[in-house]
Amino acid sequence: HLIRDYRTTQPIRHDGRLLGHIEIVWINDNLYVHIATALFLALLGKILHYNFQLRANSRTLARNNLALQQSEQRLLESEDHLRRITESLGEGLLITDPDDVVLYANTRLTEMTGFTLGDLLGRPAYELLLPPEAHTLMRLRNRARNRDISEQYEIEILDKNGQPFWTHIHATPFRNNTGEIVGVAEHLAKEARI
C-alpha cells in the first residue's frame, strides 16, 4: 500500500504577531482529515475566544487607566487646594510627629518666627522655638496630646534671632486616615502684649 500524505501549515497570528503554527496532515484516510480539522477548529475557537477576551480586557484596562489618571488628577487638585488653604491662614500652622519633630509648617509660621521651612523640618519644634527651661514642660504637653488631649494656652516663644514674643496656641492631636494619633497640629496666633 502506498501511503499518501499531504501536509499543510497554518500560521496563527494575533495583532500581526506570530503566535505559532498549526500543521495538518492527511494520510490516505479522510478520518485524519476530520480529526485534524476538528482539532484545528477547536484550537481556532480557543484562539478566537482568548483574542476576544484579550480585547475586552484591554478595553477594561484602558477604562481603568483613565479612571486612575482622573483620580490622580483629582488628588493633586485636592492637595493643591488644601495647600492654598493652609498657606492663606492668618495663623501659623505647625504639624509635628509624636516627638515634636516638625513635619510641616505653613508660610505664616515662617514669617512669624523668621525660620525657613528648611530650618524647621526634621527638628524638634520646642528646641527651636522655646528657651531650654521650657523644653521639659513642652515634652509633657506633647505626651498629653499623644493621649488624645487638646489644649489652648499662651506661651512666649523665640524667633530665629532669639527675640521672644507671645503666642496663643491651640494644640490638638493629629490623626492619620485610620484615626490613629500620629502627631500634633498646632495653630499659633501672635499676641500683642502691653
Side-chain angles (χ1 to χ4, degrees):
H1 296 132
L2 268 173
I3 297 177
R4 264 180 332 147
D5 69 337
Y6 175 73
R7 297 174 186 268
T8 183
T9 303
Q10 178 65 41
I12 305 297
R13 298 184 182 278
H14 174 69
D15 287 339
R17 199 173 86 201
L18 180 66
L19 299 177
H21 292 87
I22 294 178
E23 183 175 9
I24 301 173
V25 179
W26 285 267
I27 302 175
N28 280 345
D29 191 323
N30 286 338
L31 180 60
Y32 290 105
V33 173
H34 294 302
I35 291 172
T37 303
L39 290 173
F40 175 73
L41 291 175
L43 184 56
L44 187 58
K46 285 285 187 192
I47 291 170
L48 290 174
H49 169 76
Y50 289 129
N51 185 21
F52 290 133
Q53 214 173 18
L54 181 63
R55 288 180 187 213
N57 289 344
S58 294
R59 286 190 297 271
T60 300
L61 284 173
R63 281 193 305 271
N64 289 346
N65 190 35
L66 179 60
L68 178 62
Q69 289 173 347
Q70 290 170 340
S71 293
E72 288 174 344
Q73 182 61 36
R74 285 192 301 273
L75 178 62
L76 289 173
E77 289 169 0
S78 184
E79 287 174 348
D80 182 57
H81 182 70
L82 181 60
R83 188 176 305 107
R84 283 184 282 124
I85 289 171
T86 60
E87 290 302 316
S88 65
L89 291 174
E91 299 177 340
L93 176 63
L94 184 68
I95 297 177
T96 62
D97 73 4
D99 297 319
D100 207 36
V101 173
V102 178
L103 303 173
Y104 174 81
N106 70 348
T107 302
R108 180 66 184 124
L109 184 90
T110 62
E111 291 169 353
M112 288 169 56
T113 64
F115 288 102
T116 66
L117 194 55
D119 295 333
L120 295 166
L121 292 178
R123 303 267 317 271
Y126 63 84
E127 287 181 4
L128 295 170
L129 300 173
L130 298 176
E133 59 273 10
H135 291 186
T136 302
L137 175 62
M138 189 52 63
R139 283 194 298 268
L140 291 172
R141 283 188 150 137
N142 285 335
R143 277 192 224 128
R145 279 188 283 284
N146 291 327
R147 292 188 318 270
D148 205 16
I149 298 172
S150 297
E151 69 175 325
Q152 293 186 43
Y153 55 94
E154 292 177 0
I155 192 169
E156 194 172 44
I157 66 173
L158 305 174
D159 68 14
K160 186 172 183 173
N161 297 320
Q163 296 299 310
F165 64 93
W166 284 94
T167 59
H168 178 84
I169 296 179
H170 182 194
T172 59
F174 183 68
R175 299 175 189 282
N176 65 13
N177 59 347
T178 64
E180 175 187 9
I181 297 173
V182 293
V184 178
E186 298 178 82
H187 306 268
L188 293 83
K190 204 170 193 179
E191 290 196 351
R193 291 243 168 159
I194 298 176

